[in-house]
Each structure stands twice: as structure tokens, then as C-alpha cells.
Amino acid sequence: DVLNKAFGINAEYGGSCQKLPVVAAPKLGDTCSECTLIAGEVITLLQNGAIDDLIKEAIGEICGVLPISNCEQTLDGYFDQLIAVIKNLDGKTVCSLAGLCSYTTEYSYIQNLFF
């Protein structure tokens, strides 16, 4: 209840607070481990369609201040493609693509698709 109130989520607005599983923290202190942990959390969040909607709403706001023609359609298209790829990757592969971890097999496959 306290968490629901703290984050503004309650049954009145149709929201709920899910209990997340407790997992052992990976060894931190190196960029790859930290990136992998964060990327994994982001990938998990992206599985939620409501998060996609929030990001698209933010894109609309960004495009409101950018002098780019067809900004929203262009960014929406890139966003959809990028999210579709990211949702099918693991955190370490995302971090490898960003150059923060050593390469993985998935990295080589993705690298061949896009570059």
C-alpha cells in the first residue's frame, strides 16, 4: 500500500503494484555487468505495452519542439523497429552492441543484419 501511494498507483486508477522476484545482484564494478543489469531491466519493462505508449507519448512531446517534418511518424517507425529487435535480445547482447561488453554470438548476427 505504501509503495502504491508513493508511486501514485492504486486500484482507483486501475493500477497495481506487482511483487518482483528477488534476485542475487551480479558482480558490479565493471561496465559490462552494470550495463547488462540495466539493459535486462529495460528489456523487461519494454515487454509491457503501457511502457511503449508512454515512450510514444514522449516522442510526440519531443517532436513538438523539433523542427523536423514528419518527426512523429519517422521516430515512431524507428522506435517500433528498434523495440522489436531489443525485445528479442538479452541484456549482454544489447551492451555488446553498445560496445560495453565483449561480443556475443547474437551480437555478430545482429551486426550482420544492420551493418
Side-chain angles (χ1 to χ4, degrees), residues 19-82:
K19 287 188 176 182
L20 297 175
V22 175
V23 294
K27 179 185 142 219
L28 296 178
D30 70 279
T31 306
C32 180
S33 295
E34 292 170 359
C35 179
T36 301
L37 179 67
I38 293 167
E41 292 298 320
V42 170
I43 291 167
T44 299
L45 285 173
L46 290 174
Q47 302 301 325
N48 180 344
I51 299 298
D52 283 359
D53 294 340
L54 288 173
I55 295 171
K56 286 189 175 193
E57 185 178 317
I59 288 171
E61 291 177 21
I62 291 168
C63 287
V65 297
L66 293 177
I68 300 172
S69 62
N70 299 322
C71 176
E72 208 164 328
Q73 293 88 354
T74 302
L75 291 183
D76 272 349
Y78 285 123
F79 171 78
D80 291 338
Q81 292 173 13
L82 180 62

